Amino acid sequence: MRLIIIGLVIIILVLVSGGVYLWFIGGKALALPVTQTASPQVEIPPTYLPPPTYELGDIPVSTNDDTIALTDYSRAVGAIMSAYGNKDAENELALVIKAIEKTDAQAATKLAQASARHTDTALRLKQLIVPPTAVQVHLNLINSIIGLAESSYIMAQINKEPMVALEASQVYPDRLKNFFTAINNLNFFLLASRVILPEQERSIISLGL
């Protein structure tokens, strides 16, 4: 058990050493500390189960694929992801350690709430009607967030099923990497499609995962 905890501490240090990640949907991607005020979080019951991952056929597709449609799409995604961002959210692997060491009685509840936040965001993205050329990158983003939701949900069972929760915590860094890759790929796709919003319209996503 101690070796697992030490391993988690090392992973956490790797994840947080770079500071808070910042993306501009429709602009240049950055990785810099920010001081943006955290967005209000959606209150969802901790028992809110993550959905299964989706396939291409599950995504509503529009008939328009021009620059105007892609620009409207980028604004819609940006609005959802800006609300999702929260640089003040506690690191989820750190919450697992706090639960194990019993230094935070609310750690499991916070993990469940984090899972619900991931799930809510994935479901909101799933409701968007997506231009045809953006469907794959959109699907990858949704499924990467569902992966985080699933890991957080299982880690939230730390007090009931500690070994299962610890196994989920070891998978979480890979799923976090998948999320970072998906959001960057979406942004690169938009830039390649010449969707570059005016600076005042770019959506800032501030995360402290």
Side-chain angles (χ1 to χ4, degrees):
M1 179 72 75
R2 176 179 279 288
L3 288 176
I4 293 176
I5 294 176
I6 292 173
L8 287 176
V9 170
I10 293 173
I11 292 171
I12 291 169
L13 289 174
V14 171
L15 288 176
V16 303
S17 61
V20 177
Y21 287 84
L22 171 68
W23 287 272
F24 285 91
I25 296 296
K28 185 178 179 181
L30 302 172
L32 300 170
V34 296
T35 57
Q36 181 191 356
T37 303
S39 303
Q41 296 305 298
V42 179
E43 292 295 332
I44 303 174
T47 54
Y48 200 40
L49 287 169
T53 54
Y54 295 109
E55 298 179 358
L56 284 173
D58 298 319
I59 305 300
V61 182
S62 69
T63 56
N64 295 324
D65 205 24
D66 55 19
T67 303
I68 294 175
L70 287 168
T71 300
D72 290 342
Y73 162 74
S74 72
R75 289 192 177 103
V77 173
I80 293 172
M81 296 303 294
S82 291
Y84 172 57
N86 180 4
K87 72 180 180 61
D88 294 323
E90 292 188 61
N91 183 285
E92 292 170 33
L93 292 180
L95 286 171
V96 172
I97 292 180
K98 289 180 179 180
I100 293 172
E101 297 180 342
K102 301 188 184 304
T103 57
D104 185 348
Q106 298 300 313
T109 298
K110 291 175 182 178
L111 285 165
Q113 290 171 342
S115 176
R117 182 168 60 92
H118 298 319
T119 297
D120 177 72
T121 300
L123 293 177
R124 289 175 187 270
L125 289 169
K126 167 67 171 55
Q127 293 172 356
L128 293 181
I129 299 176
V130 183
T133 54
V135 171
Q136 185 64 66
V137 289
H138 187 76
L139 175 68
N140 292 346
L141 176 59
I142 293 174
N143 284 339
S144 72
I145 297 174
I146 290 175
L148 292 175
E150 181 183 49
S151 290
S152 301
Y153 183 84
I154 297 173
M155 290 190 295
Q157 314 307 313
I158 186 68
N159 295 328
K160 300 176 183 177
E161 299 286 347
M163 294 310 299
V164 175
L166 286 172
E167 288 177 5
S169 70
Q170 295 179 61
V171 175
Y172 180 82
D174 287 335
R175 294 190 169 180
L176 194 58
K177 180 181 177 181
N178 290 342
F179 167 73
F180 289 159
T181 299
I183 192 76
N184 275 315
N185 285 346
L186 172 61
N187 201 42
F188 293 148
F189 162 78
L190 293 171
L191 290 173
S193 301
R194 300 184 181 279
V195 177
I196 302 176
L197 301 177
E199 187 169 351
Q200 66 271 19
E201 293 185 30
R202 296 175 187 172
S203 298
I204 298 175
I205 306 171
S206 175
L207 296 167
L209 297 172

